[in-house]
Amino acid sequence: MSESRPPIKIYTLEEIEEVASSSTFAVSLVDAIQSGFAAFSRGEFNAGVIQTLGAPPMAPFVADCPNYAAQTCVKSGYITGSEYYVIKVASGGNPHENSGLVQLYSQRTGKLAVLLLDDGLLTEIRTAAAGALAAKMFAPTLKATDSVGMLGSGIQARFQLRYLAHVTDCRNVLVWGRTEEKVNKYKRDMEAEGWQVQTTNDPQRLLRCPLIVTTTSAREPILKLDGDTERLNCHINCIGADATGKMELDPMLVAASDLLVADSKKQTRERGEFEEAISRGLVSLDQVVEIGNVNTDGEASSSPSKRFSIFDTSGVAVQDCVVAEMVMKALATNATG
Amino acid sequence: MSESRPPIKIYTLEEIEEVASSSTFAVSLVDAIQSGFAAFSRGEFNAGVIQTLGAPPMAPFVADCPNYAAQTCVKSGYITGSEYYVIKVASGGNPHENSGLVQLYSQRTGKLAVLLLDDGLLTEIRTAAAGALAAKMFAPTLKATDSVGMLGSGIQARFQLRYLAHVTDCRNVLVWGRTEEKVNKYKRDMEAEGWQVQTTNDPQRLLRCPLIVTTTSAREPILKLDGDTERLNCHINCIGADATGKMELDPMLVAASDLLVADSKKQTRERGEFEEAISRGLVSLDQVVEIGNVNTDGEASSSPSKRFSIFDTSGVAVQDCVVAEMVMKALATNATG
């Protein structure tokens, strides 16, 4: 194995975690993600086609355990005129958890400048930052005495709360998960981080919360439209459904919404929570607003007629560019400071 | 900047150059590329869609010089059942020359295992190895007293000769290039490497050589079909045209060929030397044979009726996988040997 140091900057997961865990970083990231979405919606972001490996029609990866469904995603892009272009590799779904890295190349020289060996961490936090941003914009009435409804109890369900803590005083969460053991672990972990956690066996109960966050990898609806939900007054952040065929919401629930927001209109037609509702003709793509086109004062959500809104995010590469540049700059400042 | 060593194996360009420059390595690589092409043609290779950044319809990269036409290509894939999947980033066309890296991830664990900081070197040598393989298969009559006709005098024109030296005794080359100064430099450099180099101002003269190699980035035909070429008895390796719109051969010359071979039938329809001839209806895709489907004894070329053959390569990710695994293993052996 080589001991020599390559002529580029390489940062380990531990170093990245250190700079990314500060409150200042989180607050700035939410703002930067908002600017990134706005640049994306103005057409100033250049995204490569998404490469997916290990998923049909390709052969599956070689597995060392049953029920193995690993896949790897390569997302690339750059903001027109910015300093770097970014290539992100994120692998997930395998028994060894997330892996991957983020590469920053100089647009000016083409040279590889920085490698962030993040093992998927940056994807978790840029996704959490998008959730926090949407909560700020579309659930501004969330009070300290309310509860956040959380569907799922995995890694992203943790990151969503961590980032929400930067945009709301609310510290109560009502969680539903498929596996009792995982839900109990989630309760212990998040209580250790300052949250009051209640659990429920009935996912429909989450719909009484003013903000609901969905983070599972379900392929069948979990949250349904029933009698109760006709009086819905809430905002749902849909995080889990990031690939074609995945869904957590009943398409009828999507159709009942007063405001549909997505990170990318193009992407929301092909993957995510609105895919099924659009293909069934229950809603039209024209009804969907891109978050980057919503006024920053949240006017779309404060209108009395918009009492039930949904934000669907499957993740766009502009988020990866934004978080990568922020982490890189924070690391460089750390080194010279 | 971080001084800590990440928990993966990272190799520098110098280390890669050391193992890749041996004659044993080169000879093995030509064989391994042949096996790789065969696996590809049997449908055992899984290729991701090619990501191209910095090219239309995207905004160009930020440039620091005029006539800047940099672009970056991400090619990914894996042989079904093999140990690794490979993601290769190669940037080129910018004033600072090539850049990029090759990443190997375990199919079994999803974890990043090895980073080869090759700055595009592995793309050069796997392309050169494909050229040497095709010369061995389709120009077996090339004698020591013959000359190789070389169109272009850039980096790949050098690598092509270096790899040809492993499959033929011929050490004479007749070179044509657009810029006299570059051609003279090429002559000096390759003579220092043991070649007898003649230059010509007339590209058509190359067609008198039994083996011609084209390595320019031309977008208009340079080699034409004229009276002389009706008596053609040669093989042409087309290396330069690797993107839609690039071409070095007159489509009529392509149509005059007795044997058309490509690395990938799918790719040769969209990019490379046969693209224009196919779209004009001068040849049909059905006439094109994949190199991985040609018998290894070169029978297709030794038939008297196949006196004028063309091999078109725009590069497929199976070559990247093959060269990456070979380099990685050679480096590991070096470290423990």
Side-chain angles (χ1 to χ4, degrees), chain B residues 167-203:
Chain B
V167 299
T168 176
D169 296 327
C170 176
R171 291 295 181 276
N172 310 302
V173 59
L174 176 66
V175 60
W176 173 91
R178 210 176 288 277
T179 316
E180 193 181 344
E181 190 185 332
K182 274 187 69 187
V183 171
N184 291 337
K185 176 84 163 64
Y186 182 80
K187 180 176 162 69
R188 286 194 303 276
D189 290 350
M190 297 321 292
E191 285 184 343
E193 295 188 26
W195 288 79
Q196 297 294 323
V197 184
Q198 286 197 290
T199 66
T200 178
N201 293 320
D202 177 11

Side-chain angles (χ1 to χ4, degrees), chain A residues 14-293:
Chain A
E14 291 68 31
E15 293 169 298
I16 297 165
E17 273 173 338
E18 194 191 327
V19 301
S21 62
S22 87
S23 175
T24 316
F25 179 91
V27 170
S28 305
L29 181 62
V30 173
D31 289 343
I33 289 287
Q34 183 165 31
S35 303
F37 280 139
F40 176 83
S41 291
R42 284 195 304 269
E44 293 166 11
F45 185 74
N46 306 276
V49 292
I50 298 174
Q51 276 183 357
T52 307
L53 308 175
M58 286 186 187
F61 289 140
V62 175
D64 67 354
C65 85
N67 307 317
Y68 174 81
Q71 66 178 45
T72 295
C73 205
V74 185
K75 287 185 177 175
S76 304
Y78 51 100
I79 294 173
T80 305
S82 75
E83 195 172 351
Y84 298 98
Y85 66 90
V86 171
I87 297 175
K88 183 191 79 168
V89 181
S91 83
N94 67 63
H96 306 272
E97 302 292 343
N98 291 344
S99 186
L101 82 171
V102 177
Q103 308 151 56
L104 292 103
Y105 296 80
S106 164
Q107 284 198 43
R108 198 172 50 75
T109 67
K111 290 284 179 192
L112 178 62
V114 178
L115 283 177
L116 303 173
L117 303 175
D118 74 317
D119 268 351
L121 173 68
L122 298 190
T123 302
E124 301 292 352
I125 68 177
R126 61 84 154 153
T127 305
L133 171 66
K136 202 167 83 166
M137 292 173 72
F138 305 111
T141 60
L142 182 70
K143 296 186 301 293
T145 51
D146 290 328
S147 286
V148 174
M150 182 64 67
L151 195 78
S153 57
I155 296 173
Q156 185 55 218
R158 290 163 163 78
F159 278 101
Q160 286 290 327
L161 287 194
R162 285 173 197 146
Y163 267 76
L164 279 175
H166 298 292
V167 298
T168 176
D169 296 327
C170 175
R171 292 293 180 276
N172 310 304
V173 60
L174 176 67
V175 61
W176 173 90
R178 209 176 288 274
T179 316
E180 192 181 346
E181 190 186 331
K182 274 188 70 188
V183 170
N184 290 336
K185 175 84 164 63
Y186 182 80
K187 180 176 162 73
R188 287 195 302 277
D189 290 349
M190 297 322 292
E191 285 184 342
E193 296 187 25
W195 287 79
Q196 298 293 322
V197 183
Q198 285 197 293
T199 66
T200 176
N201 293 320
D202 176 11
Q204 290 301 104
R205 274 201 56 205
L206 302 188
L207 290 173
R208 297 180 202 164
C209 302
L211 172 68
I212 300 107
V213 184
T214 70
T215 64
T216 75
S217 57
R219 291 182 166 269
E220 297 290 337
I222 303 174
L223 295 183
K224 308 273 170 62
L225 183 72
D226 61 22
D228 276 357
T229 52
E230 281 168 19
R231 295 186 305 276
L232 279 171
N233 191 346
C234 62
H235 173 76
I236 310 182
N237 274 339
C238 298
I239 312 291
D242 59 355
T244 303
K246 285 188 181 177
M247 62 163 92
E248 303 179 278
L249 303 193
D250 183 353
M252 295 303 290
L253 193 59
V254 173
S257 171
D258 302 306
L259 175 67
L260 299 175
V261 186
D263 48 6
S264 158
K265 279 186 85 158
K266 180 170 179 290
Q267 216 163 284
T268 205
R269 191 176 43 192
E270 299 156 3
R271 55 180 78 203
E273 217 51 75
F274 302 160
E275 177 198 355
E276 180 74 11
I278 291 171
S279 74
R280 282 202 212 163
L282 299 173
V283 303
S284 106
L285 189 62
D286 292 342
Q287 292 171 248
V288 179
V289 184
E290 269 186 12
I291 191 167
N293 282 329

Side-chain angles (χ1 to χ4, degrees), chain A residues 1-12 15 46-55 57-64 68 72 74-78 80-82 85-87 89 91 94-101 103 105 107-112 115 117 119 331 335, chain B residues 1-12 15 46-55 57-64 68 72 74-78 80-82 85-87 89 91 94-101 103 105 107-112 115 117 119 331 335:
Chain A
M1 191 196 324
S2 166
E3 301 285 329
S4 73
R5 194 155 55 88
I8 48 167
K9 292 178 192 166
I10 299 177
Y11 296 104
T12 64
E15 293 169 298
N46 306 276
V49 292
I50 298 174
Q51 276 183 357
T52 307
L53 308 175
M58 286 186 187
F61 289 140
V62 175
D64 67 354
Y68 174 81
T72 295
V74 185
K75 287 185 177 175
S76 304
Y78 51 100
T80 305
S82 75
Y85 66 90
V86 171
I87 297 175
V89 181
S91 83
N94 67 63
H96 306 272
E97 302 292 343
N98 291 344
S99 186
L101 82 171
Q103 308 151 56
Y105 296 80
Q107 284 198 43
R108 198 172 50 75
T109 67
K111 290 284 179 192
L112 178 62
L115 283 177
L117 303 175
D119 268 351
L331 285 161
Chain B
M1 189 197 323
S2 164
E3 301 284 328
S4 73
R5 195 153 55 87
I8 48 165
K9 292 178 193 166
I10 300 177
Y11 296 103
T12 63
E15 293 171 297
N46 307 275
V49 291
I50 298 174
Q51 275 184 358
T52 307
L53 308 174
M58 289 185 184
F61 289 140
V62 174
D64 66 353
Y68 176 79
T72 295
V74 185
K75 287 186 177 172
S76 304
Y78 51 100
T80 305
S82 74
Y85 65 90
V86 171
I87 297 175
V89 181
S91 82
N94 68 63
H96 305 272
E97 301 294 344
N98 292 342
S99 187
L101 84 169
Q103 307 151 57
Y105 296 80
Q107 285 198 42
R108 198 172 51 75
T109 67
K111 288 284 179 191
L112 177 61
L115 283 177
L117 304 174
D119 268 351
L331 285 161

Side-chain angles (χ1 to χ4, degrees), chain B residues 254-275:
Chain B
V254 173
S257 172
D258 301 305
L259 176 65
L260 299 175
V261 185
D263 49 6
S264 158
K265 279 186 86 158
K266 180 168 179 290
Q267 216 162 287
T268 205
R269 192 176 41 196
E270 300 156 1
R271 55 180 77 205
E273 215 52 73
F274 303 160
E275 178 198 355

Side-chain angles (χ1 to χ4, degrees), chain B residues 119-131:
Chain B
D119 268 351
L121 174 68
L122 296 190
T123 302
E124 300 292 353
I125 69 176
R126 61 83 153 152
T127 305

